[in-house]
Amino acid sequence: MSDVRHVLVLPDRDAAEEAAEVIGDRFGLDEEPQLVRDALAGEDDAEDVQWLVVVTDPGERLDPKELDEFAGEWDGWREEP
């Protein structure tokens, strides 16, 4: 069994926190997703950051297309590995 991680990129902290609260129930996750602040390369302004929601998927049961659609609800996307 592999330990796949999906990374959802969201535009701000509020969107990331809300998505992290909802994703567990919607997809039946066993572990809470991890929130990570990701400053954009070369940007000095603290406002120019994206937030990542990292979801562990042991057993690869989550559908990447459904995760793409989920992230899109908050104007985000799923990063391809």
Side-chain angles (χ1 to χ4, degrees):
M1 186 182 320
S2 65
D3 189 21
V4 172
R5 293 176 193 245
H6 300 280
V7 177
L8 308 181
V9 181
L10 300 169
D12 57 50
R13 183 179 187 158
D14 291 339
E17 288 177 343
E18 187 177 339
E21 287 179 21
V22 173
I23 197 168
D25 290 335
R26 185 170 305 175
F27 292 97
L29 301 179
D30 294 331
E31 292 183 35
E32 286 193 35
Q34 178 184 10
L35 293 178
V36 179
R37 182 178 180 266
D38 184 36
L40 299 175
E43 296 294 335
D44 294 328
D45 188 350
E47 296 297 317
D48 292 328
V49 297
Q50 297 171 329
W51 283 80
L52 309 178
V53 177
V54 181
V55 178
T56 303
D57 183 14
E60 301 180 50
R61 63 179 188 79
L62 299 175
D63 181 355
K65 184 176 179 175
E66 288 181 18
L67 290 172
D68 283 331
E69 292 170 3
F70 177 82
E73 293 176 25
W74 286 273
D75 296 324
W77 65 90
R78 184 185 58 85
E79 278 291 305
E80 288 291 333

